[in-house]
Amino acid sequence: MISFSQENDIIVKESKYRKFDVNEIRRDFPILERKVNGKPLVYFDNAATTQKPNVVIDSMTHYYRYENANIHRGLHFLSEVATEQYENSRLKVKEFINAMSASEIILTKGTTDGINLLANTMCRADLLNEGDEIIISHMEHHANIVPWQLLCDRKKTKLVVIPIDDNGELMMDEYKKLISPRTKLVSIVHTSNTLGTVNPIKEIIEIAHKNNIPVIVDGAQAVGHQKIDVQELDCDYFVFSGHKLFGPTGIGVLYGKAELLNKLPPYQGGGDMIRTVTFEKTTYEDIPNKFEAGTPNIVGGIGLGVAIKYLNMFNFQDISRHENELLQYATEKMILIDGLRIIGTAKNKASVISFTIDGIHPYDLGTIIDTDGVALRTGHHCTQPLMKRFNVPATARASFSFYNTIDEIDVFINALNKAIKMFR
Ligand code: PLP
């Protein structure tokens, strides 16, 4: 039996860097071998969630089989092992995004949870008040709209939206114009889950910082595709989800600069986040524990750490090059299809293609090509304002990860053409 830590050691020894061989990579992901509707699965729904490599799956079952215990509060062997694994994952995240300290890494349920944590605690700390403004953009996921609207309802704060052009690029001049003494926060998506647009995030942060405005970056779609260095970006907060990074669901990360996190009040109350409790007064732990009330998603944290170790075996340049090839190849084939419109044609684009086809509702398209084993996402992708901006009720979306292949794109294009024939 390979123990969890031995297994991790194997990964670490192999690291720096593994040769990028997509066929070999695919063997790490057992689900990619399965069939759907009698056809080999073509999984193009990676922006919704990524598939998990064996090492992540095995680390989680191993934990439940041999190491399950609650963390932080026990002195017995298993509790110490579990605590060490969980805290090691925090360290892995810290290194992965180059945070200054592990205390700046709050383990959350995911991106949505991280943004809600910030909106709630900023509200309670009175950092945003009547007449103040929060800048977001027209391409935000609902997770970066609704928590701020809830805050605005309570505080009479105003949400201000950076417009986008027809290619789906942020209008940076408009952004500059929106900044005023009333602006107290910028909360912005790094990479759009619907358009694929990769925003000029460093420039956005620099502009905000010149005006002493803190910036939250929604990095949900960025982390699995490019190197993130929070110190280099100089963002104040950065949020992402483990499940979009080849890790499990129910775990995510909120990075925040220590000095800012220290100024925020706790989010939820309960065990693990306190130092002392009396009926008269409670004192709180330091960060990160202050924000982590109750028993956390221990196995999720462990799985996330292993997912990061797995990803560390690769060079992000190789991943980007491969994903870019997939994007270019698919785009070239798709624009040849009569009546197909790609929504999101930014110059700097991640491997996400949203599209519509004249005369076919995206839901019908998604259902039909599923019969060929092709998994696409259809709908508004939790970006309803964006659908309105492009005047469509919904789109179909193909999103690629580094384990996808050119051959799979050929299968997808054939499935599209087949579906179109059924309708015309
Ligand atoms: N932000 C972006 C850009 C996303 O793509 C998503 C999920 O698709 C989220 C936020 C929400 O992530 P989660 O549902 O994992 O909290």
Side-chain angles (χ1 to χ4, degrees), residues 61-101:
T61 53
H62 184 90
Y63 166 77
Y64 274 136
R65 234 179 252 281
Y66 303 108
E67 290 166 344
N68 179 47
N70 210 331
I71 56 167
H72 293 158
R73 281 165 277 186
L75 287 177
H76 60 83
F77 175 80
L78 283 184
S79 178
E80 283 179 359
V81 170
T83 303
E84 194 186 325
Q85 310 274 18
Y86 190 73
E87 291 304 325
N88 274 343
S89 289
R90 196 190 304 280
L91 278 174
K92 278 280 146 245
V93 175
K94 176 227 165 224
E95 286 160 16
F96 183 62
I97 61 170
N98 193 30
M100 193 113 73
S101 143

Side-chain angles (χ1 to χ4, degrees), residues 98-387:
N98 193 30
M100 193 113 73
S101 143
S103 65
E104 296 179 317
I105 305 299
I106 316 297
L107 293 170
T108 62
K109 284 193 287 185
T111 310
T112 307
D113 193 35
I115 298 174
N116 275 282
L117 186 159
L118 289 173
N120 271 276
T121 54
M122 286 178 173
C123 179
R124 293 215 331 277
D126 291 330
L127 296 184
L128 297 146
N129 295 299
E130 185 165 355
D132 290 342
E133 291 180 354
I134 303 167
I135 295 183
I136 59 168
S137 82
H138 210 126
M139 65 175 89
E140 299 308 320
H141 187 281
H142 296 163
N144 198 26
I145 302 174
V146 186
W148 303 116
Q149 285 174 328
L150 293 171
L151 178 146
C152 289
D153 284 349
R154 273 177 70 178
K155 293 285 198 167
K156 301 202 167 33
T157 306
K158 200 172 152 207
L159 212 50
V160 175
V161 182
I162 312 169
I164 58 173
D165 65 19
D166 291 343
N167 291 321
E169 292 184 344
L170 277 185
M171 297 170 79
M172 290 296 283
D173 286 343
E174 297 300 317
Y175 167 52
K176 288 177 201 157
K177 281 188 219 153
L178 289 175
I179 290 186
S180 80
R182 292 184 298 279
T183 315
K184 292 291 158 20
L185 181 69
V186 173
S187 190
I188 189 95
V189 70
H190 192 310
T191 300
S192 161
N193 61 310
T194 301
L195 304 170
T197 310
V198 181
N199 285 320
I201 214 75
K202 201 165 155 57
E203 192 188 341
I204 291 169
I205 294 166
E206 276 166 11
I207 293 167
H209 282 181
K210 272 195 198 121
N211 295 277
N212 292 321
I213 303 162
V215 181
I216 300 170
V217 178
D218 171 354
Q221 297 294 340
V223 277
H225 305 277
Q226 67 179 90
K227 174 73 193 146
I228 297 296
D229 182 331
V230 289
Q231 292 192 67
E232 215 250 319
L233 282 178
D234 196 26
C235 53
D236 300 282
Y237 304 96
F238 191 96
V239 286
F240 62 94
S241 306
H243 70 99
K244 296 188 197 279
L245 190 66
F246 316 103
T249 49
I251 188 84
V253 173
L254 158 62
Y255 155 83
K257 286 180 180 166
E259 57 185 298
L260 298 175
L261 289 175
N262 280 330
K263 286 188 192 139
L264 294 175
Y267 178 33
Q268 295 176 325
D272 243 25
M273 50 76 76
I274 54 88
R275 197 168 284 162
T276 60
V277 179
T278 65
F279 288 121
E280 291 71 38
K281 184 175 167 56
T282 291
T283 58
Y284 306 116
E285 275 287 7
D286 291 332
I287 56 168
N289 306 60
K290 181 172 88 172
F291 294 109
E292 295 182 3
T295 301
N297 181 356
I298 303 169
V299 72
I302 291 170
L304 173 61
V306 176
I308 290 175
K309 282 188 177 193
Y310 174 77
L311 208 47
N312 280 342
M313 292 195 296
F314 300 96
N315 185 337
F316 262 115
Q317 279 171 358
D318 290 335
I319 292 180
S320 304
R321 193 184 343 98
H322 179 71
E323 290 181 353
N324 212 27
E325 270 168 29
L326 298 174
L327 175 70
Q328 298 308 328
Y329 184 79
T331 306
E332 279 162 23
K333 297 266 169 187
M334 287 167 78
I335 53 178
L336 298 177
I337 295 176
D338 187 32
L340 188 146
R341 172 186 174 204
I342 292 180
I343 313 261
T345 47
K347 272 191 241 50
N348 195 2
K349 217 184 132 169
S351 51
V352 172
I353 308 179
S354 277
F355 62 99
T356 56
I357 297 181
D358 288 348
I360 313 181
H361 194 282
Y363 289 143
D364 293 331
L365 185 72
T367 312
I368 292 167
I369 76 167
D370 180 57
T371 59
D372 278 322
V374 181
L376 289 189
R377 183 133 298 235
T378 50
H380 53 62
H381 317 294
C382 297
T383 52
Q384 283 185 0
L386 207 45
M387 296 295 108

